[in-house]
Amino acid sequence: MSQLNERRRNRRHRRGGAAVEAALVLPMIVMFLFGIMEYGRYIMTLQVMTNAAREGARFALAHTQPVTVDGTTYGNATSDVSAVIDKALAGQALEGQTVQIYASDSLGNNIGSWNNAEAGDLVCVRITGNYKSIVTSLLHLSPTIPVSVQSAMRSESN
């Protein structure tokens, strides 16, 4: 009978120990999961920005010469390229986001207006801003991370 009482007492102590262990481990697991989700969101944002820059560069190359239909000129304005980029971003935006569209050299440096790109010239779209983290205080991260993506495409013909 005394062995049975001892077993019951040990079980009660173990239940309390399991609760303490769970209280110590659970916050670490939750922080780890939040970190994984935040990293995935950051990578997704980079991918969306890169795709938008590529779509903008593609549109700019296809519209270096203006098209006039019924007295209205289309395609050759920077605002048209920006509209394509905004559509590709699908509501995603960086904090303090800027978009640059320009003719570039092989290193991506700005050498002038994209509207005058000739065959063999590069057109570059650069999107810069700050990625704002959602769980910064919980994970002790920097509240913003600087992001700069660019896409440069060579004009095949004009």
Side-chain angles (χ1 to χ4, degrees):
M1 198 68 162
S2 66
Q3 283 183 338
L4 185 60
N5 287 338
E6 249 180 78
R7 285 185 194 162
R8 285 183 186 160
R9 236 180 298 140
N10 285 341
R11 274 192 216 143
R12 283 189 210 132
H13 292 295
R14 279 186 264 159
R15 273 189 269 163
V20 169
E21 288 174 9
L24 292 174
V25 173
L26 195 58
M28 290 188 291
I29 291 172
V30 169
M31 283 182 29
F32 182 71
L33 290 175
F34 278 141
I36 289 171
M37 289 183 342
E38 188 66 45
Y39 181 70
R41 190 172 153 267
Y42 173 72
I43 295 298
M44 180 205 67
T45 301
L46 285 178
Q47 187 63 41
V48 168
M49 295 296 157
T50 302
N51 288 342
R54 185 174 55 246
E55 289 297 320
R58 182 178 295 134
F59 182 86
L61 278 176
H63 297 86
T64 55
Q65 299 298 319
V67 175
T68 304
V69 178
D70 294 332
T72 305
T73 304
Y74 297 99
N76 185 328
T78 301
S79 61
D80 294 335
V81 179
S82 294
V84 169
I85 292 169
D86 288 340
K87 184 178 178 185
L89 287 175
Q92 295 287 323
L94 298 171
E95 190 176 71
Q97 178 174 305
T98 60
V99 177
Q100 298 172 318
I101 306 154
Y102 54 88
S104 70
D105 60 10
S106 61
L107 299 175
N109 299 318
N110 189 341
I111 59 170
S113 174
W114 68 273
N115 305 55
N116 304 323
E118 297 292 326
D121 290 347
L122 291 169
V123 172
C124 186
V125 172
R126 179 177 292 159
I127 303 172
T128 57
N130 291 314
Y131 169 80
K132 188 167 182 172
S133 175
I134 292 176
V135 292
T136 55
S137 60
L138 180 64
L139 298 176
H140 303 292
L141 297 173
S142 169
T144 59
I145 300 170
V147 172
S148 179
V149 297
Q150 74 178 23
S151 178
M153 292 188 176
R154 186 174 307 280
S155 177
E156 299 280 326
S157 64
N158 218 357

